[in-house]
Amino acid sequence: MMDFSDLKKVLDRPNPGLAMHRFAGELYPICRSITGNGFRETLRLIRDRIPLEIHEVPSGTAVFDWTVPLEWNINDAYIADRRGKRVVDFKQCNLHVVSYSRPVRATMRLAELREHLYTIPEHPDWIPYRTSYYKESWGFCLSHRQYQELDEAEYDVCIDSTLEPGHLTYGECYLGGTRSEEVLISCHACHPSLANDNLSGIAVATFLVQALASVSRHYSYRILFIPGTIGSITWLARNGEKTDRIKHGLVLTGVGDSGPITFKRSRRGDAEIDCAATHVLRHSGKPYQVVDFSPYGYDERQYCSPGFNLPVGCLMRTPHGQYPEYHTSADNLDFVRPESLEDTLEKCLKILCVLENNRTYRNTSPHGEPQLGKRGLYRSVGGQQEGAVDEMALLWVLNLSDGQHSLLDIAERAGFPFETIHEAAEALAHHGLLR
Ligand code: ZN
């Protein structure tokens, strides 16, 4: 197995960004929702690439303050004019139907139908994405242009859906490490044809698992592909005893747009994942932002609810709601960039690499500085050799390794990238100067 620190090798496959984008393209046409066959089909396609256990939880199951809902499936839906021409057609775009719409078959006057139509007047070519999971209703989403073309008095309306007792489905992948302590990676997979919001996270998480499977790991990794909110609540309700093992976590969402990367801190704010992610982004040489926790957003809300307060942050690019394409048909495959997916995957691996290698040492020769020259550690004063360990990094590690400072603490205080401090620590440990 490869060493985790050798990220170049770990990422060494031809164009991972393009491969992730292609995978998102495979998943894009599927009509997903928080339950149903679209979600199952998505999990099967993920399972073709990584080991995945698929769980089914019956409708009606109590999960904390919530109840697993009825399962929703849809075959077809349309609004047709009196000549039978479909003016709005689910088969053209699955966003046309409000997710969880109850079945409808009716002829109705436009005035009545209008109450069930949703558009975005300021973006007349885009179709909005709407849901009605927990309140029984129905509706259609259409472009404002389509809406303005409606003129007949009466239309045939059909939503061929089912809303029946069934299951909530989620996928779970577990990669064991030398420790039972876990890193949790979670992404939502419950949106229909929306590329950045849902598919980008799924693609990066899937490829992350492939990369993690090829390296030697200290931590064990648990990766969840779940429906938003109800999925994380369901997982937490069924796995309460496992949550003590979760030492670090990341929600991956909206990780494919062209904006700079954003890390949202965990509720704790000063957890190791918060420090590691911030450190990696600060040393990336690229624009980024770190934002504080707030009880809104994605499944970090559930993992960071006060009863759990898990150290789970959220990695995204442009935060949800801060780009006009969010929750519209314009969040399509063109909106997601291969290079952004690749950059996110690399950042994830770098953050995990810090967590894997972060430990606290004690200097075995703490009275005065140990003599580095006689150990060959002061290799090249006045001209760094290739591969030489940074001397300042050696001195920082020796000075701060008092059993109180982790390598990440030292990297932060010294202003060095974590890799440099880690290399220095490895060299010092090799010479018996750290334990
Ligand atoms: Zn969303």
Side-chain angles (χ1 to χ4, degrees), residues 129 188 191 194 197-198 298 320 326-327:
Y129 163 59
H188 68 285
H191 289 20
L194 294 175
D197 185 2
N198 143 73
Y298 292 91
H320 66 94
Y326 174 71
H327 279 189

Side-chain angles (χ1 to χ4, degrees), residues 109-127:
R109 304 190 63 80
L110 183 56
E112 192 188 342
L113 175 59
R114 268 206 182 102
E115 290 169 30
H116 297 276
L117 301 183
Y118 302 92
T119 71
I120 317 169
E122 47 294 9
H123 294 288
D125 291 318
W126 297 359
I127 303 162

Side-chain angles (χ1 to χ4, degrees), residues 58-74:
S59 302
T61 304
V63 285
F64 299 124
D65 200 39
W66 297 60
T67 306
V68 172
L70 296 174
E71 180 177 325
W72 185 71
N73 284 292
I74 182 161

